[in-house]
Amino acid sequence: MALSSQVLKELGESSLSIKNALEAIPIFKQVEDKHFCNSGLIFSYTLLGKNYNQIGLHKIGLDQFQKALKILGYLDDYGLQSLRVNEGIAECYTELGDQKKTFYYLDKCLEIAENQIKNPNYALSIKLNILLKFSIVYRRSKNYKKSLEYLKQTGVILDSYTEDIIYEEKVLRAILDLSLIHISEPTRL
């Protein structure tokens, strides 16, 4: 049920995704294996948070992420789940216009990527994603200097890394180059 909720979210079927995630919660609560139970609940609340945020119900989405964050405390190894929850909270605060809290949760995501994600390639791709999110939030607030700083950090990482996933993402490099040009010469409206 929770997995189908994720698929429905990706297909843009938010109302059905929400319905399935809500139905999955009482099922996960009945599971005897506490790790599986808590992981399922975190997954369901995270899906709910993403869905509610996506349809404009940012505070309800934030409440769902907070529920997932509370359950995370019961797990020993929670790197990726913690990252997804904190990233979702940052997205909610972005939509609510609270830049300070957005940056707080994005910083937590960077910390998680550096300290808790064990696969170095995956940790690096996550770090790139988070740095780009910092840049976007600064760009939206018209702080072009800070936005450019984060884009440059991303560029340094991309230039220094020549293996697997990231090296093959030449399109990302091209987008980054275009973004640098656009941000360094902002147009006036």
Side-chain angles (χ1 to χ4, degrees), residues 10 51-52 54 58 68-69 95 114 152 166 181-182:
E10 295 302 320
N51 274 301
Y52 284 124
Q54 186 175 16
H58 311 299
L69 195 60
E95 295 301 322
E114 292 170 356
K152 285 180 179 178
I166 297 168
I181 292 167
H182 181 69

Side-chain angles (χ1 to χ4, degrees), residues 44-57:
S44 295
Y45 286 126
T46 300
L47 278 171
L48 286 169
K50 287 181 178 283
N51 274 301
Y52 284 124
N53 193 43
Q54 186 175 16
I55 62 174
L57 300 172

Side-chain angles (χ1 to χ4, degrees), residues 73-135:
Y74 299 115
L75 299 179
D76 294 329
D77 182 25
Y78 53 80
L80 189 57
Q81 287 180 314
S82 181
L83 176 89
R84 296 293 176 232
V85 171
N86 283 286
E87 186 177 30
I89 292 171
E91 289 169 4
C92 286
Y93 280 123
T94 297
E95 295 301 322
L96 290 168
D98 191 332
Q99 197 177 49
K100 184 176 179 181
K101 288 185 180 175
T102 297
F103 292 144
Y104 172 80
Y105 284 98
L106 288 176
D107 277 330
K108 286 186 72 123
C109 290
L110 282 177
E111 181 182 313
I112 292 164
E114 292 170 356
N115 299 322
Q116 295 180 18
I117 306 299
K118 291 171 180 60
N119 180 327
N121 292 335
Y122 197 51
L124 193 57
S125 66
I126 290 168
K127 186 174 180 180
L128 287 170
N129 181 43
I130 299 303
L131 290 172
L132 286 170
K133 286 183 182 211
F134 268 107
S135 179

Side-chain angles (χ1 to χ4, degrees), residues 1 175 183:
M1 202 161 279
I175 292 170
I183 289 177

